[in-house]
Every structure is written in structure tokens, then in C-alpha cells.
Amino acid sequence: GDPGDRLGSKALVCVGGLTDGLLSLRYLPNLAKALKTLGWRTFQPVLQSSYRGWGFGSLQDDAEGLDKLLSFLETNRGISKVVVLGSSTGCQDAVHFLKVGMKKSLVHGIVLQAP
């Protein structure tokens, strides 16, 4: 079968804030480990605004990046339910995505952490 079937079809997508990049959210590894026991998979995209890209991209650029990620996860990883966690200024990306995202129908919840 598809490896996605064994891993679960639910995903937490974590969007960091100003200058954040991969694994800059120190709690993320522990959160991912705990969620894995509940059948959730955790992903953290590197978006246009990640690292030093803040101020050079836009919320729309990041929404398009999230659309690409969710499309990939749905098509190639069997993801059918997503919760988006926005941290700090990543909350803006999360909320904007719910407004304009082409794949927003996959989003079943949103967490605004340190908005």
C-alpha cells in the first residue's frame, strides 16, 4: 500500500514567524513526537518569508507556498486533514491562507501561537 496510509492522513503544518526557519521553533520536535502517537504527521515549510526573506515576500507569496505544500501532501503523502499552526508573525500567514488559499478546504483547524 501507500506509505501515507501507514503514517496517517492528518498533518500539522507549522509556520514560523519573523526570521524563523527550519526547526527554529524549539518546541516543535517534542510536539511532533507527541502528535505522532496520535496519528498526526508534522511538517514545517520554508516559505518566501522564512529566515531573512521577511519583508521581501508577501502574505500572498507565502499563501502560494502553502498551497504548493498542501497540494503535494495531499497528492503524494495521502494527507486529507490539516491543522495550521502559526507562530508569532506566522499567524498572519495562517489567517491569510484561510482567506485566499486554493487548498484551504484541507484545513480543519488553526492554532495561533504567540500572535
Side-chain angles (χ1 to χ4, degrees), residues 36-77:
K36 186 176 183 180
T37 66
L38 301 172
W40 285 78
R41 296 153 72 185
T42 304
F43 300 90
Q44 184 184 16
V46 175
L47 299 172
Q48 180 82 20
S49 64
S50 297
Y51 298 107
R52 295 181 182 266
W54 188 86
F56 293 99
S58 66
L59 291 173
Q60 187 60 38
D61 291 335
D62 284 353
E64 290 169 10
L66 286 169
D67 269 325
K68 289 177 185 175
L69 172 66
L70 268 53
S71 182
F72 175 84
L73 293 177
E74 180 182 38
T75 302
N76 299 293
R77 297 294 184 261

mmCIF file of all heavy atoms in Angstrom, residues 36-77:
data_model
loop_
_atom_site.group_PDB
_atom_site.id
_atom_site.type_symbol
_atom_site.label_atom_id
_atom_site.label_comp_id
_atom_site.label_asym_id
_atom_site.label_seq_id
_atom_site.Cartn_x
_atom_site.Cartn_y
_atom_site.Cartn_z
ATOM 1 N N LYS A 36 2.716 12.328 16.812
ATOM 2 C CA LYS A 36 2.901 11.088 16.049
ATOM 3 C C LYS A 36 2.179 9.928 16.730
ATOM 4 O O LYS A 36 1.611 9.074 16.059
ATOM 5 C CB LYS A 36 4.390 10.793 15.889
ATOM 6 C CG LYS A 36 4.675 9.608 15.000
ATOM 7 C CD LYS A 36 6.163 9.423 14.796
ATOM 8 C CE LYS A 36 6.426 8.268 13.851
ATOM 9 N NZ LYS A 36 7.856 8.067 13.639
ATOM 10 N N THR A 37 2.181 9.910 18.060
ATOM 11 C CA THR A 37 1.500 8.834 18.788
ATOM 12 C C THR A 37 -0.011 8.892 18.596
ATOM 13 O O THR A 37 -0.700 7.904 18.834
ATOM 14 C CB THR A 37 1.812 8.886 20.303
ATOM 15 O OG1 THR A 37 1.246 10.070 20.870
ATOM 16 C CG2 THR A 37 3.318 8.833 20.557
ATOM 17 N N LEU A 38 -0.514 10.041 18.140
ATOM 18 C CA LEU A 38 -1.949 10.217 17.894
ATOM 19 C C LEU A 38 -2.293 10.105 16.408
ATOM 20 O O LEU A 38 -3.424 10.390 16.017
ATOM 21 C CB LEU A 38 -2.404 11.578 18.434
ATOM 22 C CG LEU A 38 -2.179 11.810 19.930
ATOM 23 C CD1 LEU A 38 -2.493 13.255 20.298
ATOM 24 C CD2 LEU A 38 -3.011 10.840 20.754
ATOM 25 N N GLY A 39 -1.311 9.732 15.589
ATOM 26 C CA GLY A 39 -1.556 9.545 14.161
ATOM 27 C C GLY A 39 -1.406 10.803 13.325
ATOM 28 O O GLY A 39 -1.855 10.843 12.177
ATOM 29 N N TRP A 40 -0.760 11.829 13.878
ATOM 30 C CA TRP A 40 -0.538 13.078 13.144
ATOM 31 C C TRP A 40 0.899 13.146 12.666
ATOM 32 O O TRP A 40 1.819 12.723 13.363
ATOM 33 C CB TRP A 40 -0.827 14.284 14.043
ATOM 34 C CG TRP A 40 -2.282 14.518 14.266
ATOM 35 C CD1 TRP A 40 -3.092 13.825 15.110
ATOM 36 C CD2 TRP A 40 -3.096 15.495 13.641
ATOM 37 N NE1 TRP A 40 -4.361 14.315 15.039
ATOM 38 C CE2 TRP A 40 -4.398 15.348 14.148
ATOM 39 C CE3 TRP A 40 -2.852 16.483 12.685
ATOM 40 C CZ2 TRP A 40 -5.452 16.152 13.733
ATOM 41 C CZ3 TRP A 40 -3.895 17.293 12.280
ATOM 42 C CH2 TRP A 40 -5.182 17.123 12.809
ATOM 43 N N ARG A 41 1.086 13.720 11.487
ATOM 44 C CA ARG A 41 2.406 13.984 10.937
ATOM 45 C C ARG A 41 2.646 15.491 10.995
ATOM 46 O O ARG A 41 1.723 16.276 10.863
ATOM 47 C CB ARG A 41 2.478 13.456 9.513
ATOM 48 C CG ARG A 41 2.316 11.930 9.514
ATOM 49 C CD ARG A 41 1.745 11.401 8.239
ATOM 50 N NE ARG A 41 2.693 11.459 7.144
ATOM 51 C CZ ARG A 41 2.369 11.139 5.897
ATOM 52 N NH1 ARG A 41 1.167 10.748 5.580
ATOM 53 N NH2 ARG A 41 3.262 11.211 4.946
ATOM 54 N N THR A 42 3.888 15.888 11.186
ATOM 55 C CA THR A 42 4.229 17.300 11.362
ATOM 56 C C THR A 42 5.158 17.748 10.241
ATOM 57 O O THR A 42 6.124 17.061 9.915
ATOM 58 C CB THR A 42 4.904 17.522 12.728
ATOM 59 O OG1 THR A 42 4.031 17.027 13.752
ATOM 60 C CG2 THR A 42 5.171 18.991 12.979
ATOM 61 N N PHE A 43 4.827 18.915 9.676
ATOM 62 C CA PHE A 43 5.621 19.495 8.592
ATOM 63 C C PHE A 43 5.887 20.964 8.893
ATOM 64 O O PHE A 43 5.041 21.650 9.460
ATOM 65 C CB PHE A 43 4.871 19.390 7.259
ATOM 66 C CG PHE A 43 4.569 17.976 6.861
ATOM 67 C CD1 PHE A 43 3.378 17.373 7.248
ATOM 68 C CD2 PHE A 43 5.477 17.243 6.117
ATOM 69 C CE1 PHE A 43 3.097 16.063 6.895
ATOM 70 C CE2 PHE A 43 5.204 15.930 5.758
ATOM 71 C CZ PHE A 43 4.009 15.339 6.154
ATOM 72 N N GLN A 44 7.062 21.445 8.504
ATOM 73 C CA GLN A 44 7.381 22.861 8.633
ATOM 74 C C GLN A 44 7.979 23.350 7.317
ATOM 75 O O GLN A 44 9.122 23.044 6.993
ATOM 76 C CB GLN A 44 8.363 23.124 9.779
ATOM 77 C CG GLN A 44 8.615 24.614 9.956
ATOM 78 C CD GLN A 44 9.642 24.919 11.016
ATOM 79 O OE1 GLN A 44 10.397 24.057 11.433
ATOM 80 N NE2 GLN A 44 9.676 26.157 11.441
ATOM 81 N N PRO A 45 7.199 24.096 6.551
ATOM 82 C CA PRO A 45 7.722 24.581 5.274
ATOM 83 C C PRO A 45 8.693 25.740 5.459
ATOM 84 O O PRO A 45 8.627 26.483 6.440
ATOM 85 C CB PRO A 45 6.466 25.063 4.553
ATOM 86 C CG PRO A 45 5.549 25.491 5.658
ATOM 87 C CD PRO A 45 5.828 24.535 6.797
ATOM 88 N N VAL A 46 9.610 25.856 4.520
ATOM 89 C CA VAL A 46 10.439 27.049 4.412
ATOM 90 C C VAL A 46 9.786 27.895 3.330
ATOM 91 O O VAL A 46 9.785 27.529 2.162
ATOM 92 C CB VAL A 46 11.900 26.695 4.060
ATOM 93 C CG1 VAL A 46 12.717 27.963 3.842
ATOM 94 C CG2 VAL A 46 12.509 25.839 5.159
ATOM 95 N N LEU A 47 9.173 28.993 3.764
ATOM 96 C CA LEU A 47 8.408 29.844 2.857
ATOM 97 C C LEU A 47 9.249 31.029 2.391
ATOM 98 O O LEU A 47 10.359 31.254 2.873
ATOM 99 C CB LEU A 47 7.139 30.345 3.548
ATOM 100 C CG LEU A 47 6.159 29.250 3.990
ATOM 101 C CD1 LEU A 47 5.042 29.852 4.834
ATOM 102 C CD2 LEU A 47 5.592 28.526 2.775
ATOM 103 N N GLN A 48 8.679 31.812 1.483
ATOM 104 C CA GLN A 48 9.342 33.012 0.955
ATOM 105 C C GLN A 48 9.810 33.931 2.091
ATOM 106 O O GLN A 48 10.876 34.516 2.021
ATOM 107 C CB GLN A 48 8.369 33.759 0.044
ATOM 108 C CG GLN A 48 8.903 35.015 -0.583
ATOM 109 C CD GLN A 48 9.730 34.760 -1.814
ATOM 110 O OE1 GLN A 48 9.619 33.703 -2.427
ATOM 111 N NE2 GLN A 48 10.561 35.702 -2.178
ATOM 112 N N SER A 49 9.026 34.027 3.167
ATOM 113 C CA SER A 49 9.352 34.950 4.251
ATOM 114 C C SER A 49 10.269 34.330 5.308
ATOM 115 O O SER A 49 10.644 35.014 6.261
ATOM 116 C CB SER A 49 8.069 35.429 4.926
ATOM 117 O OG SER A 49 7.399 34.340 5.543
ATOM 118 N N SER A 50 10.637 33.062 5.150
ATOM 119 C CA SER A 50 11.485 32.407 6.147
ATOM 120 C C SER A 50 12.885 33.021 6.171
ATOM 121 O O SER A 50 13.344 33.622 5.202
ATOM 122 C CB SER A 50 11.597 30.918 5.845
ATOM 123 O OG SER A 50 10.339 30.291 5.924
ATOM 124 N N TYR A 51 13.562 32.820 7.293
ATOM 125 C CA TYR A 51 14.912 33.327 7.508
ATOM 126 C C TYR A 51 14.968 34.835 7.243
ATOM 127 O O TYR A 51 14.214 35.588 7.812
ATOM 128 C CB TYR A 51 15.928 32.563 6.638
ATOM 129 C CG TYR A 51 16.001 31.091 6.977
ATOM 130 C CD1 TYR A 51 15.471 30.128 6.131
ATOM 131 C CD2 TYR A 51 16.593 30.671 8.167
ATOM 132 C CE1 TYR A 51 15.544 28.779 6.454
ATOM 133 C CE2 TYR A 51 16.653 29.328 8.496
ATOM 134 C CZ TYR A 51 16.136 28.389 7.634
ATOM 135 O OH TYR A 51 16.187 27.064 7.950
ATOM 136 N N ARG A 52 15.810 35.255 6.329
ATOM 137 C CA ARG A 52 15.968 36.696 6.047
ATOM 138 C C ARG A 52 15.042 37.166 4.931
ATOM 139 O O ARG A 52 15.176 38.279 4.445
ATOM 140 C CB ARG A 52 17.417 37.011 5.697
ATOM 141 C CG ARG A 52 18.362 36.774 6.853
ATOM 142 C CD ARG A 52 19.784 37.117 6.455
ATOM 143 N NE ARG A 52 20.694 36.851 7.540
ATOM 144 C CZ ARG A 52 21.079 37.770 8.424
ATOM 145 N NH1 ARG A 52 20.642 39.004 8.338
ATOM 146 N NH2 ARG A 52 21.913 37.445 9.375
ATOM 147 N N GLY A 53 14.111 36.337 4.533
ATOM 148 C CA GLY A 53 13.194 36.700 3.459
ATOM 149 C C GLY A 53 12.067 37.606 3.897
ATOM 150 O O GLY A 53 11.332 38.137 3.075
ATOM 151 N N TRP A 54 11.924 37.823 5.230
ATOM 152 C CA TRP A 54 10.850 38.666 5.714
ATOM 153 C C TRP A 54 11.035 40.068 5.161
ATOM 154 O O TRP A 54 12.126 40.629 5.169
ATOM 155 C CB TRP A 54 10.829 38.701 7.249
ATOM 156 C CG TRP A 54 9.637 39.400 7.765
ATOM 157 C CD1 TRP A 54 8.411 38.874 7.995
ATOM 158 C CD2 TRP A 54 9.543 40.788 8.093
ATOM 159 N NE1 TRP A 54 7.545 39.823 8.444
ATOM 160 C CE2 TRP A 54 8.212 41.024 8.513
ATOM 161 C CE3 TRP A 54 10.423 41.854 8.074
ATOM 162 C CZ2 TRP A 54 7.770 42.274 8.918
ATOM 163 C CZ3 TRP A 54 9.980 43.090 8.467
ATOM 164 C CH2 TRP A 54 8.668 43.284 8.881
ATOM 165 N N GLY A 55 9.962 40.624 4.639
ATOM 166 C CA GLY A 55 10.000 41.967 4.068
ATOM 167 C C GLY A 55 10.258 41.959 2.566
ATOM 168 O O GLY A 55 10.078 42.970 1.906
ATOM 169 N N PHE A 56 10.701 40.825 2.030
ATOM 170 C CA PHE A 56 10.951 40.716 0.593
ATOM 171 C C PHE A 56 9.825 39.989 -0.115
ATOM 172 O O PHE A 56 9.666 40.105 -1.310
ATOM 173 C CB PHE A 56 12.285 40.006 0.321
ATOM 174 C CG PHE A 56 13.472 40.802 0.772
ATOM 175 C CD1 PHE A 56 14.082 40.525 1.985
ATOM 176 C CD2 PHE A 56 13.960 41.837 0.002
ATOM 177 C CE1 PHE A 56 15.162 41.264 2.414
ATOM 178 C CE2 PHE A 56 15.049 42.582 0.416
ATOM 179 C CZ PHE A 56 15.653 42.296 1.638
ATOM 180 N N GLY A 57 9.079 39.202 0.629
ATOM 181 C CA GLY A 57 7.929 38.500 0.077
ATOM 182 C C GLY A 57 6.658 39.114 0.624
ATOM 183 O O GLY A 57 6.682 40.146 1.286
ATOM 184 N N SER A 58 5.559 38.459 0.354
ATOM 185 C CA SER A 58 4.273 38.974 0.826
ATOM 186 C C SER A 58 3.471 37.822 1.421
ATOM 187 O O SER A 58 3.821 36.647 1.273
ATOM 188 C CB SER A 58 3.496 39.582 -0.347
ATOM 189 O OG SER A 58 3.155 38.556 -1.279
ATOM 190 N N LEU A 59 2.386 38.174 2.075
ATOM 191 C CA LEU A 59 1.475 37.152 2.577
ATOM 192 C C LEU A 59 0.971 36.294 1.424
ATOM 193 O O LEU A 59 0.787 35.080 1.563
ATOM 194 C CB LEU A 59 0.302 37.792 3.325
ATOM 195 C CG LEU A 59 0.632 38.464 4.656
ATOM 196 C CD1 LEU A 59 -0.580 39.207 5.191
ATOM 197 C CD2 LEU A 59 1.120 37.438 5.666
ATOM 198 N N GLN A 60 0.754 36.912 0.276
ATOM 199 C CA GLN A 60 0.288 36.172 -0.897
ATOM 200 C C GLN A 60 1.338 35.162 -1.363
ATOM 201 O O GLN A 60 1.002 34.029 -1.709
ATOM 202 C CB GLN A 60 -0.083 37.125 -2.032
ATOM 203 C CG GLN A 60 -0.721 36.422 -3.214
ATOM 204 C CD GLN A 60 -2.019 35.695 -2.853
ATOM 205 O OE1 GLN A 60 -2.813 36.165 -2.057
ATOM 206 N NE2 GLN A 60 -2.224 34.527 -3.443
ATOM 207 N N ASP A 61 2.615 35.557 -1.353
ATOM 208 C CA ASP A 61 3.694 34.627 -1.717
ATOM 209 C C ASP A 61 3.685 33.412 -0.795
ATOM 210 O O ASP A 61 3.810 32.268 -1.239
ATOM 211 C CB ASP A 61 5.066 35.302 -1.622
ATOM 212 C CG ASP A 61 5.292 36.364 -2.678
ATOM 213 O OD1 ASP A 61 4.659 36.295 -3.756
ATOM 214 O OD2 ASP A 61 6.100 37.273 -2.422
ATOM 215 N N ASP A 62 3.529 33.667 0.509
ATOM 216 C CA ASP A 62 3.523 32.570 1.477
ATOM 217 C C ASP A 62 2.276 31.706 1.319
ATOM 218 O O ASP A 62 2.348 30.480 1.459
ATOM 219 C CB ASP A 62 3.636 33.102 2.902
ATOM 220 C CG ASP A 62 5.056 33.549 3.243
ATOM 221 O OD1 ASP A 62 5.978 33.332 2.425
ATOM 222 O OD2 ASP A 62 5.247 34.115 4.329
ATOM 223 N N ALA A 63 1.144 32.312 0.992
ATOM 224 C CA ALA A 63 -0.083 31.527 0.756
ATOM 225 C C ALA A 63 0.118 30.606 -0.444
ATOM 226 O O ALA A 63 -0.301 29.442 -0.419
ATOM 227 C CB ALA A 63 -1.281 32.453 0.538
ATOM 228 N N GLU A 64 0.771 31.106 -1.468
ATOM 229 C CA GLU A 64 1.046 30.271 -2.645
ATOM 230 C C GLU A 64 1.993 29.130 -2.284
ATOM 231 O O GLU A 64 1.823 28.002 -2.750
ATOM 232 C CB GLU A 64 1.610 31.126 -3.778
ATOM 233 C CG GLU A 64 0.573 32.059 -4.368
ATOM 234 C CD GLU A 64 1.158 33.097 -5.319
ATOM 235 O OE1 GLU A 64 2.358 32.995 -5.683
ATOM 236 O OE2 GLU A 64 0.410 34.015 -5.701
ATOM 237 N N GLY A 65 2.970 29.399 -1.417
ATOM 238 C CA GLY A 65 3.866 28.350 -0.947
ATOM 239 C C GLY A 65 3.127 27.293 -0.148
ATOM 240 O O GLY A 65 3.378 26.093 -0.290
ATOM 241 N N LEU A 66 2.199 27.730 0.694
ATOM 242 C CA LEU A 66 1.400 26.784 1.463
ATOM 243 C C LEU A 66 0.491 25.962 0.554
ATOM 244 O O LEU A 66 0.282 24.766 0.789
ATOM 245 C CB LEU A 66 0.584 27.514 2.541
ATOM 246 C CG LEU A 66 1.401 28.009 3.733
ATOM 247 C CD1 LEU A 66 0.563 28.950 4.608
ATOM 248 C CD2 LEU A 66 1.940 26.842 4.554
ATOM 249 N N ASP A 67 -0.047 26.602 -0.466
ATOM 250 C CA ASP A 67 -0.858 25.862 -1.443
ATOM 251 C C ASP A 67 -0.038 24.752 -2.099
ATOM 252 O O ASP A 67 -0.512 23.622 -2.255
ATOM 253 C CB ASP A 67 -1.407 26.791 -2.534
ATOM 254 C CG ASP A 67 -2.776 27.364 -2.177
ATOM 255 O OD1 ASP A 67 -3.572 26.648 -1.528
ATOM 256 O OD2 ASP A 67 -3.044 28.504 -2.566
ATOM 257 N N LYS A 68 1.188 25.072 -2.486
ATOM 258 C CA LYS A 68 2.055 24.062 -3.107
ATOM 259 C C LYS A 68 2.338 22.921 -2.137
ATOM 260 O O LYS A 68 2.302 21.748 -2.519
ATOM 261 C CB LYS A 68 3.365 24.705 -3.574
ATOM 262 C CG LYS A 68 3.202 25.605 -4.774
ATOM 263 C CD LYS A 68 4.511 26.266 -5.145
ATOM 264 C CE LYS A 68 4.318 27.252 -6.279
ATOM 265 N NZ LYS A 68 5.543 27.998 -6.590
ATOM 266 N N LEU A 69 2.619 23.269 -0.878
ATOM 267 C CA LEU A 69 2.885 22.236 0.120
ATOM 268 C C LEU A 69 1.665 21.342 0.335
ATOM 269 O O LEU A 69 1.776 20.112 0.295
ATOM 270 C CB LEU A 69 3.300 22.864 1.456
ATOM 271 C CG LEU A 69 3.423 21.870 2.615
ATOM 272 C CD1 LEU A 69 4.562 20.884 2.371
ATOM 273 C CD2 LEU A 69 3.596 22.597 3.929
ATOM 274 N N LEU A 70 0.500 21.944 0.550
ATOM 275 C CA LEU A 70 -0.708 21.158 0.802
ATOM 276 C C LEU A 70 -1.083 20.307 -0.402
ATOM 277 O O LEU A 70 -1.523 19.159 -0.240
ATOM 278 C CB LEU A 70 -1.866 22.053 1.228
ATOM 279 C CG LEU A 70 -2.006 22.242 2.749
ATOM 280 C CD1 LEU A 70 -0.744 22.715 3.404
ATOM 281 C CD2 LEU A 70 -3.167 23.140 3.077
ATOM 282 N N SER A 71 -0.887 20.826 -1.597
ATOM 283 C CA SER A 71 -1.144 20.046 -2.798
ATOM 284 C C SER A 71 -0.226 18.823 -2.850
ATOM 285 O O SER A 71 -0.667 17.704 -3.134
ATOM 286 C CB SER A 71 -0.948 20.919 -4.040
ATOM 287 O OG SER A 71 -1.229 20.185 -5.202
ATOM 288 N N PHE A 72 1.042 19.039 -2.548
ATOM 289 C CA PHE A 72 1.999 17.936 -2.522
ATOM 290 C C PHE A 72 1.626 16.908 -1.459
ATOM 291 O O PHE A 72 1.647 15.697 -1.709
ATOM 292 C CB PHE A 72 3.420 18.460 -2.265
ATOM 293 C CG PHE A 72 4.426 17.361 -2.109
ATOM 294 C CD1 PHE A 72 5.017 16.786 -3.225
ATOM 295 C CD2 PHE A 72 4.780 16.897 -0.853
ATOM 296 C CE1 PHE A 72 5.940 15.764 -3.086
ATOM 297 C CE2 PHE A 72 5.698 15.868 -0.705
ATOM 298 C CZ PHE A 72 6.279 15.297 -1.817
ATOM 299 N N LEU A 73 1.300 17.379 -0.263
ATOM 300 C CA LEU A 73 0.960 16.460 0.826
ATOM 301 C C LEU A 73 -0.287 15.645 0.501
ATOM 302 O O LEU A 73 -0.343 14.445 0.800
ATOM 303 C CB LEU A 73 0.756 17.231 2.135
ATOM 304 C CG LEU A 73 2.004 17.897 2.726
ATOM 305 C CD1 LEU A 73 1.638 18.686 3.973
ATOM 306 C CD2 LEU A 73 3.093 16.887 3.009
ATOM 307 N N GLU A 74 -1.263 16.289 -0.116
ATOM 308 C CA GLU A 74 -2.494 15.591 -0.478
ATOM 309 C C GLU A 74 -2.222 14.539 -1.558
ATOM 310 O O GLU A 74 -2.637 13.382 -1.435
ATOM 311 C CB GLU A 74 -3.528 16.602 -0.969
ATOM 312 C CG GLU A 74 -4.852 15.987 -1.368
ATOM 313 C CD GLU A 74 -5.834 17.016 -1.890
ATOM 314 O OE1 GLU A 74 -5.422 17.963 -2.603
ATOM 315 O OE2 GLU A 74 -7.026 16.876 -1.589
ATOM 316 N N THR A 75 -1.502 14.931 -2.599
ATOM 317 C CA THR A 75 -1.273 14.068 -3.751
ATOM 318 C C THR A 75 -0.243 12.973 -3.478
ATOM 319 O O THR A 75 -0.434 11.827 -3.870
ATOM 320 C CB THR A 75 -0.811 14.912 -4.955
ATOM 321 O OG1 THR A 75 -1.804 15.899 -5.226
ATOM 322 C CG2 THR A 75 -0.603 14.050 -6.187
ATOM 323 N N ASN A 76 0.833 13.329 -2.785
ATOM 324 C CA ASN A 76 1.964 12.409 -2.648
ATOM 325 C C ASN A 76 2.121 11.766 -1.275
ATOM 326 O O ASN A 76 2.881 10.817 -1.130
ATOM 327 C CB ASN A 76 3.270 13.139 -3.001
ATOM 328 C CG ASN A 76 3.268 13.626 -4.421
ATOM 329 O OD1 ASN A 76 3.282 12.837 -5.347
ATOM 330 N ND2 ASN A 76 3.216 14.933 -4.601
ATOM 331 N N ARG A 77 1.424 12.296 -0.274
ATOM 332 C CA ARG A 77 1.579 11.758 1.080
ATOM 333 C C ARG A 77 0.256 11.322 1.708
ATOM 334 O O ARG A 77 0.220 10.936 2.860
ATOM 335 C CB ARG A 77 2.269 12.772 1.993
ATOM 336 C CG ARG A 77 3.689 13.115 1.579
ATOM 337 C CD ARG A 77 4.615 11.916 1.716
ATOM 338 N NE ARG A 77 5.983 12.255 1.408
ATOM 339 C CZ ARG A 77 6.581 12.015 0.245
ATOM 340 N NH1 ARG A 77 5.912 11.453 -0.747
ATOM 341 N NH2 ARG A 77 7.842 12.333 0.053
#
